[in-house]
Amino acid sequence: MDEAWRLMAQISLGVIGILIFLCVIRLIRGPKVADRIVGANMLTTLVTVAICIMALMLGEGYLVDVALIFCLLSFLAVALLSKVYIGIWSKNQAEKRSGTKGARS
């Protein structure tokens, strides 16, 4: 029975690896900044899940702590990126409304 769980964990890590690769493609290609932010968030979530599966496979409890810290840091990073993106988007919208997009001080 232990071999069945190990095989299932290895298959899960393989699928997560493919999904991570697809998220990296979305992160690079975009086409919009919002797509890149969502891709980064999904990438960090998949890496967190992969770390947790590896912790289960290896029997190392400290890896769960590493995954938790990584998840918290990635949340803060995505929140910061979203805040910056919203600020830039709001500024561009205000410039479009006032008609002074080309004139920057």
Side-chain angles (χ1 to χ4, degrees):
M1 188 67 170
D2 188 41
E3 286 297 317
W5 287 107
R6 184 166 295 280
L7 179 65
M8 185 64 123
Q10 290 172 350
I11 290 171
S12 298
L13 282 175
V15 170
I16 289 172
I18 292 169
L19 292 174
I20 286 173
F21 178 72
L22 293 174
C23 284
V24 168
I25 291 174
R26 175 54 56 199
L27 191 64
I28 293 170
R29 292 189 65 193
K32 295 182 179 181
V33 176
D35 294 328
R36 291 185 173 112
I37 292 173
V38 170
N41 190 20
M42 189 66 194
L43 177 74
T44 57
T45 301
L46 288 171
V47 168
T48 303
V49 170
I51 292 172
C52 288
I53 291 173
M54 286 176 31
L56 182 67
M57 284 179 63
L58 299 174
E60 299 291 338
Y62 71 90
L63 285 176
V64 177
D65 296 333
V66 170
L68 183 63
I69 291 170
F70 180 73
C71 190
L72 289 171
L73 289 175
S74 68
F75 169 74
L76 290 174
V78 169
L80 180 68
L81 285 172
S82 298
K83 179 74 173 164
V84 169
Y85 175 66
I86 289 172
I88 292 171
W89 182 80
S90 299
K91 182 179 175 184
N92 288 340
Q93 291 298 318
E95 287 177 354
K96 282 182 183 178
R97 278 189 234 121
S98 65
T100 59
K101 183 174 176 155
R104 290 193 172 171
S105 54

